[in-house]
Structure formats: C-alpha cells, structure tokens
Amino acid sequence: MSDPSPSDPSTPAQRLAQLRAAVPTLQLRTDAEDLAWYGVDWTRRWTPAPLAVALPGDVDEVQAVMRWAHANRVAVVPSGGRTGLSGGAVAANGELVLSLQRMNKVLAFDPVDRLLTVQPGIVLEAVHAAAREHGLAYPVDFAARGSCSIGGNIATNAGGIRVLRYGNTREWIAGLKLVTGTGELLDLGRGLVKNSSGYDLRHLAIASEGTLGVIVEATLKLTDPPPDTQVMLLALPSFEVLMQVFTTLRERLQLEAFEFFTDRALHHVVAHGAQPPFDAVHPYYVIAEFASGSEAQEVQVLSAFEYCTEQGWVEDGVISQGGAQAAQLWRLREGITESIAACVPYKNDVSVRISAMPAFLAETQALLAREYPHFEVVWFGHIGDGNLHINVLKPADMDNAAFVADCERVTTLLASTLQTHGGSISAEHGIGLVKKKYLASTRSPAEIAAMRGIKTVFDPAGILNPGKLFDA
Ligand code: MLT
Ligand code: ZN
C-alpha cells in the first residue's frame, strides 16, 4: 500500500475525463439532479456538491476506480442506501460518490454453513426475503429496511430493534471483501467459524464508515426463523417503572425486542396517521415482542402482564391478537423517525450500560430540561440495549444554523455526562460528520491515535470518506 506522489491539480472536467479513460466501462452520472440526490443522507444538513456519481457494476470496476482515485488523490465517498443519520455518506466537497447500488445481487447460499453471500448494494429487506426463501432468517432489522443497503449496515455496524436478542450487524458478518484506498482487494473472514491467525481485519472494516475501504461483498450468517411472537404495548408512569418492567419481562419471557417512546413521540406518530392505542395520554410507552406459540408460553405472558399490573406499574396495556394488530402496534414505534422528519430533528444516539441507564437518564433529563426549555424533545429508543434516541425538534421559525449551534452546545454537556457514565456518543448511527467533534468523549486519545494509524495503512492517501469519523 504505497503512497504515490500527488498528481498535478486538474479541473473537475479533466478529472472526469481521466476517470473515463481509466475505467471506460464505468457508469458515471453528472446531472445536477443526480449530484443532489446522491450527495446527501437523511441528515439533510449539508449542501451536496459531489464531483460525480460512479456506479460500478462489479468488483473489478471498484478496484479500478480506487486505483485511479489513489493515484490522483481524489476523495471518494462510498454510498449505500444513504439512510444514515450522521452524515457518513454526505458528499459536499467535490468528492466522487461511489454508489454500490447496482451491485445488489444474492451471490450464493450455503446450506451446510448457513451462509448467504451478497453484494453490498442489496437492501436489507431483500436479504430478509432471501434468507426466508431458504427457511432461515437474517435477524438484524430496523425501520429503514426497505431502503438501507447491507453495505451501509456493515459500515455503521447497524443495530436496530432486535439487538437485545440477536446483537448488532457485527455478529452476523462471517466474511467481507473490501477494496482498500489503494485499490487492493482483501478477502476477510472467509466464512470460517474458527480462525485464530492474527488480526481480524473484518472487524476493523465493520463500523469504519467507509474510511478504510469499500465493502464489495458480504457473507452473512443466517439463523433459525424467529419463533411465533406476540406484541405487548404498555403505558407506564415513569422511567423507573419502565426499567422494572424491562427486568420483569426479561426474566419471565423470551424477549425478541423491548423498545420505548414517550408521549411526545406518540403524539407525532398519531398526527402522522397512526391509530392512538389508548384513550388517555401517558408519559411512557414500551413495546415488547416475545415468543408466544405454545400454551405454556401464553400462560407465562398473561402471568407477566398480570404481575406488572398488580405492582401498579401499568396505566394501560394491550397484547396483540394476530399479525395485523402486532404490525399496528409496531407502527407506533417504527413510524416515529418519519413522523418528526419535517421538524428537522437534531438527533442524539447515545448508549450507556443498562445498569447505568436510570442514573444517566435522570441527569440527562435534568440537563435537557434546563438547557432546552424552548425546544420540544422527543425521546425513544432501544431501552433493552441501553440506547436512547434524543431528538430535539427545530422550531419552524428558527434558522437551521442557529438551531444546530444551540444543539451542539448542549451536546457538549451531554457528552460529558456520558463520559461520567462510561457511555458512547453514538450507539448505532455512527460518527460521520455529525458526531466527530464529540468522539473524544467516547474514545481515549490513544485509541483515536490508533484509529488514525490504522486508517493510514488502509488508505495512505487519505481519500476514503475524508472528514468522516475524524479529521486527517
Ligand atoms: C430508530 O431507532 O428508529 C432509528 O435509529 C432511527 C432514528 O433514530 O431516528
Ligand atoms: Zn435506533
């Protein structure tokens, strides 16, 4: 991975002519509409300004693009479904967007190893369907399943609504092919269950946010299909009670998911068209999904529900009877992001150990009540994983830059609270552009120095997603 001398500066048009000559078969788009579409993710905070959008059709083309980019010092932004929430796929500085969207096929299934090999541009929902076709499941799941790509999921180690039971994306990656910043192809992991042969570079690539390489193929572990389930929605008076309900249900049931949201979150989802679940408004709601097929399990479910009610914890509650009702209840949680999107939320995605959650939450609630008396704050998240999403909504009449500046001031305070509790500034959305100034609240200077050193090995010219995660 040697570092060439920089080439002479050239105009964008000359660079593209060079790229066309270097990779004649490459699909390239330069229309203003395409540049605007491919240059942003769901943050929509930066003005897109890519050099062009390259849509390679195979690994050879990705390698050829990276060799050219390395030789000519052209910044490259690897791009999946761009559903990210941290600016990781934004191209606002003349970068070449490298969209993997055309590389979206299932390549192989191995029934003995229970492995599915896919191209990076395949959407998560298609991975679910492919696993189902083989009588198995790929269990990582979240609301963006219809548009996010597996490459992006891997690049951010995406979490979602079933981490409590199945873990993050990282747990499901048996192999990865990665094209580095010099255009070399690395074949990592290769589906081996056991492999004690030194550094596992596959795990460096996972959550690297496109800064170490371009994921061009992934081999995914599959598992048994999930059990039959039911969904319970409970209205609760306080966060303390919510944690008690979590402990109780985790002990008594086989939980598949345990999520929470507040009255403000419900307000927005209902305003967006969802059915209100109860007549009255309550401070907190939990949605729990659990195995429930057998008679014995159904008895356990009822007894757990009754126990929570007898403790005086439950203000109202419902247990789904059938898939349609379960889907309706899930919509209340999964519809939150879309329902508040028009309010341009400033998103915090923080985590602490579950045991630290009550103390962290009490401090954070006090902090936000003090610092944000003028903003609406919508809380929801993956409470069973210690992961809170704190969404601050922009008042309609406020300038976006002033809003972000105020939110960043408070995020600095939040980051220091997190540090006290040993938490993370990004549980699952990634650092990208949005959180990089807070990275040091979660990672020590020595860790960040090691991360920079690793980046230099994979990408000596510093062309892969520059400015994301940390500055050079
Ligand atoms: C979620 O949990 O719904 C996702 O992380 C998206 C979000 O935080 O808006
Ligand atoms: Zn989430």
Side-chain angles (χ1 to χ4, degrees):
M1 299 182 187
S2 64
D3 191 1
S5 57
S7 62
D8 293 330
S10 51
T11 64
Q14 285 169 326
R15 292 196 154 194
L16 289 179
Q18 253 179 9
L19 175 57
R20 284 197 177 95
V23 196
T25 52
L26 183 66
Q27 271 195 26
L28 264 182
R29 294 193 193 166
T30 52
D31 289 355
E33 222 171 84
D34 285 322
L35 300 185
W37 173 250
Y38 285 92
V40 290
D41 64 6
W42 278 6
T43 50
R44 298 198 169 84
R45 196 188 297 173
W46 287 270
T47 307
L51 169 71
V53 183
L55 294 125
D58 59 27
V59 176
D60 287 346
E61 283 191 349
V62 175
Q63 286 187 271
V65 170
M66 288 313 301
R67 278 191 217 106
W68 169 83
H70 176 64
N72 293 285
R73 304 293 179 93
V74 175
V76 173
V77 176
S79 185
R82 294 182 315 287
T83 56
L85 297 163
S86 63
V90 166
N93 289 306
E95 303 95 330
L96 178 72
V97 172
L98 186 61
S99 167
L100 283 311
Q101 126 189 350
R102 289 178 61 222
M103 295 170 62
N104 60 2
K105 310 271 177 315
V106 172
L107 297 176
F109 168 67
D110 190 312
V112 177
D113 295 317
R114 307 225 287 185
L115 295 176
L116 186 75
T117 300
V118 296
Q119 291 183 308
I122 188 168
V123 296
L124 179 59
E125 208 165 53
V127 171
H128 291 158
R132 255 197 319 270
E133 265 174 41
H134 297 292
L136 294 169
Y138 177 72
V140 179
D141 193 19
F142 39 86
R145 63 182 73 82
S147 37
C148 66
S149 73
I150 199 77
N153 293 179
I154 297 167
T156 52
N157 187 26
I161 55 177
R162 303 198 183 265
V163 170
L164 171 73
R165 171 107 168 95
Y166 298 102
N168 297 289
T169 298
R170 184 183 297 285
E171 269 73 56
W172 298 93
I173 307 304
L176 271 188
K177 286 191 182 166
L178 188 79
V179 173
T180 68
T182 59
E184 280 177 69
L185 179 64
L186 305 180
D187 189 359
L188 309 172
R190 293 180 285 119
L192 297 172
V193 176
K194 300 184 88 172
N195 180 12
S196 293
S197 59
Y199 306 147
D200 195 336
L201 304 182
R202 164 187 49 160
H203 284 294
L204 286 180
I206 299 169
S208 67
E209 301 187 27
T211 63
L212 299 184
V214 183
I215 295 163
V216 290
E217 192 180 298
T219 297
L220 311 174
K221 298 179 199 172
L222 302 184
T223 187
D224 292 327
D228 288 341
T229 58
Q230 275 182 297
V231 174
M232 187 189 285
L233 181 76
L234 301 178
L236 306 175
S238 68
F239 193 79
E240 291 67 37
V241 163
L242 198 154
M243 292 308 289
Q244 281 164 312
V245 169
F246 173 56
T247 310
T248 303
L249 295 191
R250 190 172 54 172
E251 270 166 22
R252 291 170 171 241
L253 306 178
Q254 184 190 313
L255 281 181
E256 297 281 308
F258 189 93
E259 301 272 311
F260 98 109
F261 49 94
T262 56
D263 57 338
R264 291 314 299 166
L266 182 65
H267 163 85
H268 285 280
V269 186
V270 167
H272 218 70
Q275 276 290 108
F278 307 122
D279 293 337
V281 171
H282 305 271
Y284 292 93
Y285 300 87
V286 297
I287 181 161
E289 184 167 332
F290 39 83
S292 171
S294 68
E295 227 169 271
Q297 281 171 325
E298 273 165 32
V299 170
Q300 274 172 342
V301 170
L302 282 178
S303 125
F305 181 73
E306 272 162 25
Y307 178 81
C308 293
T309 310
E310 280 159 17
Q311 303 308 303
W313 293 338
V314 178
E315 293 186 346
D316 211 339
V318 56
I319 302 178
S320 66
Q321 306 300 323
Q325 195 182 7
Q328 203 179 6
L329 294 178
W330 264 117
R331 185 179 169 198
L332 300 173
R333 164 63 183 89
E334 295 206 311
I336 299 171
T337 301
E338 202 184 319
S339 74
I340 59 175
C343 307
V344 201
Y346 181 92
K347 285 176 173 285
N348 287 111
D349 160 42
V350 298
S351 65
V352 292
R353 283 189 189 193
I354 297 165
S355 56
M357 188 60 95
F360 169 72
L361 193 95
E363 270 181 54
T364 303
Q365 275 176 326
L367 170 78
L368 299 190
R370 191 177 69 235
E371 300 296 335
Y372 284 144
H374 42 310
F375 294 152
E376 180 181 349
V377 182
V378 172
W379 299 71
F380 61 96
H382 318 282
I383 210 71
D385 316 325
N387 177 189
L388 290 175
H389 294 311
I390 306 167
N391 290 252
V392 188
L393 307 193
K394 186 179 85 60
D397 56 355
M398 190 169 182
D399 168 64
N400 198 42
F403 171 68
V404 169
D406 204 17
C407 291
E408 290 192 333
R409 176 185 65 79
V410 178
T411 300
T412 306
L413 304 173
L414 178 64
S416 110
T417 309
L418 267 171
Q419 206 165 7
T420 320
H421 291 276
S424 173
I425 193 70
S426 178
E428 60 170 5
H429 293 170
I431 295 291
L433 292 170
V434 173
K435 297 286 150 54
K436 73 175 167 180
K437 61 173 83 156
Y438 314 104
L439 184 63
S441 68
T442 302
R443 301 301 201 112
S444 69
E447 272 184 292
I448 295 174
M451 284 160 73
R452 283 188 209 280
I454 289 165
K455 165 128 177 103
T456 309
V457 172
F458 280 78
D459 177 25
I463 54 165
L464 270 169
N465 224 3
K468 315 290 168 49
L469 203 46
F470 41 63
D471 288 316

Coordinates of all heavy atoms in Angstrom, one line a residue, residues 302-356:
L302 N -49.5 -14.0 30.1 CA -50.6 -13.4 30.9 C -50.1 -13.2 32.3 O -50.4 -12.2 32.9 CB -51.8 -14.4 30.8 CG -52.6 -14.3 29.6 CD1 -53.8 -15.2 29.6 CD2 -53.1 -12.8 29.3
S303 N -49.4 -14.2 32.8 CA -48.9 -14.0 34.2 C -48.0 -12.8 34.4 O -48.0 -12.1 35.3 CB -48.4 -15.4 34.7 OG -47.1 -15.2 35.2
A304 N -47.1 -12.6 33.4 CA -46.2 -11.5 33.4 C -46.9 -10.2 33.4 O -46.7 -9.2 34.1 CB -45.2 -11.6 32.3
F305 N -47.9 -10.1 32.5 CA -48.7 -8.9 32.3 C -49.5 -8.6 33.6 O -49.5 -7.5 34.1 CB -49.7 -9.2 31.2 CG -50.6 -8.0 30.9 CD1 -50.1 -6.8 30.3 CD2 -52.0 -8.0 31.2 CE1 -50.9 -5.7 30.0 CE2 -52.8 -6.9 31.0 CZ -52.3 -5.8 30.4
E306 N -50.1 -9.7 34.2 CA -50.8 -9.5 35.5 C -49.9 -9.1 36.6 O -50.2 -8.2 37.4 CB -51.5 -10.9 35.9 CG -52.9 -11.0 35.3 CD -53.4 -12.4 35.3 OE1 -52.9 -13.2 36.1 OE2 -54.2 -12.8 34.4
Y307 N -48.7 -9.6 36.6 CA -47.7 -9.3 37.7 C -47.4 -7.8 37.6 O -47.5 -7.0 38.6 CB -46.4 -10.1 37.5 CG -45.4 -9.7 38.5 CD1 -45.5 -10.2 39.8 CD2 -44.4 -8.8 38.2 CE1 -44.5 -9.8 40.8 CE2 -43.4 -8.4 39.2 CZ -43.5 -8.9 40.5 OH -42.6 -8.6 41.4
C308 N -47.1 -7.3 36.4 CA -46.8 -5.9 36.2 C -48.0 -5.0 36.6 O -47.8 -3.9 37.2 CB -46.4 -5.6 34.7 SG -44.9 -6.3 34.2
T309 N -49.2 -5.5 36.2 CA -50.4 -4.7 36.6 C -50.6 -4.6 38.1 O -50.9 -3.6 38.7 CB -51.7 -5.3 35.9 OG1 -51.3 -5.5 34.5 CG2 -52.9 -4.5 36.0
E310 N -50.4 -5.8 38.8 CA -50.6 -5.9 40.2 C -49.6 -5.0 41.0 O -49.9 -4.5 42.0 CB -50.4 -7.3 40.7 CG -51.6 -8.2 40.5 CD -51.3 -9.7 40.5 OE1 -50.2 -10.0 41.0 OE2 -52.1 -10.5 40.0
Q311 N -48.4 -4.8 40.4 CA -47.5 -3.9 41.0 C -47.9 -2.4 40.9 O -47.2 -1.6 41.5 CB -46.1 -4.0 40.4 CG -45.5 -5.4 40.4 CD -45.5 -6.1 41.7 OE1 -44.9 -5.5 42.7 NE2 -46.2 -7.2 41.8
G312 N -48.9 -2.2 40.2 CA -49.4 -0.8 40.0 C -48.5 -0.1 38.9 O -48.5 1.2 38.9
W313 N -47.8 -0.8 38.1 CA -46.9 -0.2 37.1 C -47.6 0.2 35.8 O -47.2 1.1 35.1 CB -45.8 -1.2 36.7 CG -44.8 -1.6 37.8 CD1 -44.6 -0.8 38.9 CD2 -44.0 -2.7 37.9 NE1 -43.6 -1.5 39.7 CE2 -43.2 -2.6 39.1 CE3 -43.8 -3.8 37.1 CZ2 -42.3 -3.6 39.5 CZ3 -42.9 -4.8 37.5 CH2 -42.2 -4.7 38.6
V314 N -48.7 -0.5 35.5 CA -49.3 -0.4 34.2 C -50.5 0.5 34.2 O -51.5 0.3 34.9 CB -49.7 -1.8 33.6 CG1 -50.3 -1.6 32.3 CG2 -48.5 -2.7 33.6
E315 N -50.4 1.6 33.5 CA -51.6 2.5 33.4 C -52.6 2.1 32.3 O -53.8 2.3 32.5 CB -51.1 4.0 33.1 CG -50.3 4.6 34.2 CD -49.9 6.0 34.0 OE1 -50.1 6.5 32.8 OE2 -49.5 6.7 34.9
D316 N -52.1 1.4 31.3 CA -53.0 0.8 30.3 C -52.1 -0.2 29.5 O -50.9 -0.1 29.6 CB -53.6 1.9 29.4 CG -54.9 1.5 28.9 OD1 -55.3 0.3 28.9 OD2 -55.7 2.4 28.5
G317 N -52.8 -1.1 28.8 CA -52.0 -2.1 28.1 C -52.8 -2.9 27.1 O -54.0 -3.0 27.2
V318 N -52.1 -3.4 26.1 CA -52.8 -4.2 25.1 C -51.8 -5.3 24.6 O -50.6 -5.1 24.6 CB -53.3 -3.4 23.9 CG1 -52.2 -2.6 23.3 CG2 -54.0 -4.2 22.9
I319 N -52.3 -6.5 24.4 CA -51.5 -7.6 23.8 C -52.1 -8.0 22.5 O -53.3 -8.1 22.3 CB -51.5 -8.8 24.7 CG1 -50.9 -8.5 26.1 CG2 -50.6 -10.0 24.1 CD1 -50.9 -9.6 27.1
S320 N -51.2 -8.0 21.5 CA -51.7 -8.2 20.1 C -52.4 -9.6 19.9 O -51.9 -10.6 20.5 CB -50.5 -8.1 19.1 OG -49.6 -9.2 19.3
Q321 N -53.4 -9.6 19.2 CA -54.1 -10.9 18.8 C -54.0 -11.0 17.3 O -54.8 -10.5 16.6 CB -55.6 -10.9 19.2 CG -55.8 -10.5 20.7 CD -55.1 -11.6 21.6 OE1 -55.1 -12.7 21.3 NE2 -54.6 -11.1 22.7
G322 N -52.8 -11.5 16.8 CA -52.7 -11.7 15.4 C -51.7 -10.6 14.8 O -51.4 -9.6 15.4
G323 N -51.2 -11.0 13.6 CA -50.1 -10.2 13.0 C -50.5 -8.8 12.6 O -49.7 -7.9 12.7
A324 N -51.8 -8.6 12.2 CA -52.2 -7.2 11.8 C -52.1 -6.3 13.0 O -51.6 -5.2 12.9 CB -53.6 -7.3 11.2
Q325 N -52.6 -6.8 14.1 CA -52.5 -5.9 15.3 C -51.1 -5.7 15.8 O -50.7 -4.6 16.2 CB -53.4 -6.5 16.4 CG -53.7 -5.5 17.5 CD -54.4 -6.0 18.7 OE1 -54.7 -7.3 18.8 NE2 -54.9 -5.2 19.6
A326 N -50.3 -6.7 15.7 CA -48.9 -6.6 16.0 C -48.2 -5.5 15.2 O -47.5 -4.6 15.7 CB -48.1 -7.9 15.9
A327 N -48.5 -5.5 13.9 CA -47.9 -4.6 12.9 C -48.4 -3.1 13.3 O -47.6 -2.2 13.2 CB -48.3 -4.9 11.5
Q328 N -49.7 -3.0 13.7 CA -50.2 -1.7 14.0 C -49.5 -1.2 15.2 O -49.2 0.0 15.3 CB -51.7 -1.9 14.3 CG -52.6 -0.7 14.2 CD -54.0 -1.0 14.5 OE1 -54.4 -2.1 14.9 NE2 -54.9 -0.1 14.3
L329 N -49.2 -2.0 16.2 CA -48.5 -1.6 17.4 C -47.1 -1.2 17.1 O -46.6 -0.2 17.5 CB -48.6 -2.7 18.5 CG -50.0 -3.0 19.0 CD1 -49.9 -4.1 20.1 CD2 -50.6 -1.8 19.7
W330 N -46.5 -2.0 16.2 CA -45.1 -1.7 15.9 C -45.0 -0.3 15.1 O -44.0 0.4 15.2 CB -44.4 -2.8 15.0 CG -43.7 -3.7 15.8 CD1 -43.9 -5.1 16.0 CD2 -42.5 -3.4 16.6 NE1 -42.9 -5.6 16.8 CE2 -42.0 -4.6 17.2 CE3 -41.7 -2.3 16.8 CZ2 -40.9 -4.7 18.0 CZ3 -40.6 -2.4 17.6 CH2 -40.2 -3.6 18.2
R331 N -46.0 0.0 14.4 CA -46.0 1.2 13.6 C -45.9 2.4 14.5 O -45.3 3.5 14.2 CB -47.3 1.4 12.8 CG -47.3 2.6 11.9 CD -48.6 2.7 11.1 NE -48.5 4.0 10.5 CZ -49.6 4.7 10.0 NH1 -50.8 4.1 10.0 NH2 -49.5 5.9 9.5
L332 N -46.4 2.3 15.8 CA -46.3 3.4 16.7 C -44.8 3.7 17.1 O -44.4 4.8 17.3 CB -47.0 3.1 18.0 CG -48.5 2.8 17.8 CD1 -49.1 2.3 19.1 CD2 -49.3 4.1 17.3
R333 N -44.0 2.7 17.0 CA -42.6 2.9 17.3 C -41.8 3.1 16.0 O -41.0 4.1 16.0 CB -42.0 1.6 18.1 CG -40.5 1.4 18.1 CD -39.8 2.6 18.8 NE -38.4 2.4 18.8 CZ -37.6 2.9 17.8 NH1 -38.1 3.7 16.9 NH2 -36.3 2.8 17.9
E334 N -42.0 2.3 15.0 CA -41.2 2.5 13.8 C -41.6 3.7 13.0 O -40.8 4.1 12.1 CB -41.4 1.2 13.0 CG -40.9 0.0 13.7 CD -40.4 -1.1 12.7 OE1 -41.2 -1.5 11.8 OE2 -39.3 -1.6 12.9
G335 N -42.7 4.3 13.2 CA -43.1 5.4 12.4 C -42.6 6.8 13.0 O -42.8 7.8 12.4
I336 N -41.9 6.7 14.2 CA -41.5 8.0 14.8 C -40.5 8.8 14.0 O -40.8 10.0 13.8 CB -40.9 7.7 16.2 CG1 -41.9 7.0 17.1 CG2 -40.4 9.0 16.9 CD1 -41.3 6.4 18.4
T337 N -39.5 8.1 13.4 CA -38.5 8.9 12.7 C -39.1 9.7 11.5 O -38.9 10.9 11.3 CB -37.4 7.9 12.1 OG1 -36.8 7.2 13.2 CG2 -36.3 8.6 11.3
E338 N -40.0 9.0 10.8 CA -40.6 9.7 9.6 C -41.6 10.8 10.1 O -41.7 11.8 9.5 CB -41.4 8.6 8.8 CG -41.7 9.1 7.4 CD -42.5 8.0 6.7 OE1 -42.3 6.8 6.9 OE2 -43.4 8.5 5.9
S339 N -42.3 10.5 11.2 CA -43.3 11.5 11.7 C -42.6 12.8 12.2 O -43.3 13.8 12.2 CB -44.1 10.9 12.8 OG -43.4 10.8 14.0
I340 N -41.4 12.8 12.6 CA -40.7 14.0 13.0 C -39.7 14.6 12.0 O -39.1 15.6 12.3 CB -40.0 13.8 14.4 CG1 -39.0 12.7 14.3 CG2 -41.0 13.5 15.5 CD1 -38.1 12.6 15.6
A341 N -39.6 13.9 10.9 CA -38.6 14.3 9.9 C -38.8 15.7 9.4 O -37.8 16.5 9.3 CB -38.6 13.4 8.7
A342 N -40.0 16.2 9.3 CA -40.3 17.5 8.8 C -39.8 18.6 9.8 O -39.6 19.7 9.4 CB -41.8 17.7 8.5
C343 N -39.7 18.2 11.1 CA -39.2 19.1 12.1 C -37.7 19.2 12.2 O -37.1 19.8 13.1 CB -39.7 18.8 13.5 SG -41.5 18.5 13.5
V344 N -37.0 18.6 11.2 CA -35.5 18.7 11.1 C -34.9 18.4 12.5 O -34.2 19.2 13.0 CB -35.0 20.0 10.6 CG1 -33.6 19.9 10.0 CG2 -35.9 20.6 9.5
P345 N -35.1 17.2 13.0 CA -34.6 16.9 14.4 C -33.1 16.9 14.5 O -32.4 16.4 13.5 CB -35.2 15.5 14.7 CG -35.4 14.9 13.4 CD -35.8 16.0 12.4
Y346 N -32.6 17.4 15.5 CA -31.1 17.2 15.9 C -31.1 15.9 16.7 O -31.8 15.8 17.8 CB -30.6 18.4 16.7 CG -29.1 18.2 17.1 CD1 -28.1 18.7 16.2 CD2 -28.8 17.5 18.2 CE1 -26.8 18.5 16.5 CE2 -27.4 17.3 18.5 CZ -26.4 17.8 17.7 OH -25.1 17.6 18.0
K347 N -30.4 14.9 16.2 CA -30.5 13.5 16.8 C -29.3 13.2 17.7 O -28.2 13.3 17.2 CB -30.6 12.5 15.7 CG -32.0 12.5 15.0 CD -32.0 11.5 13.9 CE -33.4 11.4 13.4 NZ -34.3 10.6 14.2
N348 N -29.6 12.8 18.9 CA -28.6 12.2 19.8 C -28.9 10.7 19.8 O -30.1 10.3 19.9 CB -28.6 12.8 21.2 CG -28.1 14.2 21.2 OD1 -28.8 15.2 21.4 ND2 -26.8 14.3 21.0
D349 N -27.8 9.9 19.7 CA -28.0 8.5 19.7 C -26.9 7.9 20.6 O -25.8 7.6 20.3 CB -27.7 8.0 18.2 CG -27.3 6.6 18.1 OD1 -27.9 5.7 18.8 OD2 -26.4 6.3 17.3
V350 N -27.3 7.9 21.9 CA -26.3 7.6 23.0 C -26.6 6.3 23.6 O -27.7 5.8 23.6 CB -26.4 8.8 24.0 CG1 -26.0 10.1 23.4 CG2 -27.7 8.8 24.7
S351 N -25.5 5.7 24.2 CA -25.7 4.5 25.0 C -24.9 4.5 26.2 O -23.8 5.1 26.3 CB -25.3 3.3 24.1 OG -24.0 3.3 23.8
V352 N -25.4 3.8 27.2 CA -24.7 3.5 28.5 C -25.0 2.0 28.8 O -25.9 1.4 28.2 CB -25.1 4.4 29.6 CG1 -24.7 5.8 29.4 CG2 -26.6 4.3 29.9
R353 N -24.3 1.5 29.7 CA -24.7 0.2 30.2 C -26.1 0.2 30.7 O -26.5 1.2 31.3 CB -23.8 -0.3 31.3 CG -22.4 -0.7 30.9 CD -21.8 -1.3 32.1 NE -20.4 -1.5 31.8 CZ -19.6 -2.3 32.6 NH1 -20.1 -2.8 33.7 NH2 -18.4 -2.5 32.3
I354 N -26.8 -0.9 30.6 CA -28.2 -0.9 31.0 C -28.3 -0.6 32.5 O -29.2 0.2 33.0 CB -28.9 -2.3 30.7 CG1 -28.9 -2.5 29.2 CG2 -30.3 -2.3 31.3 CD1 -29.1 -3.9 28.8
S355 N -27.3 -1.0 33.3 CA -27.3 -0.8 34.7 C -27.1 0.7 35.0 O -27.6 1.2 36.1 CB -26.2 -1.6 35.4 OG -25.0 -1.3 34.8
A356 N -26.5 1.4 34.1 CA -26.2 2.9 34.3 C -27.4 3.7 33.8 O -27.4 5.0 34.0 CB -24.9 3.3 33.6

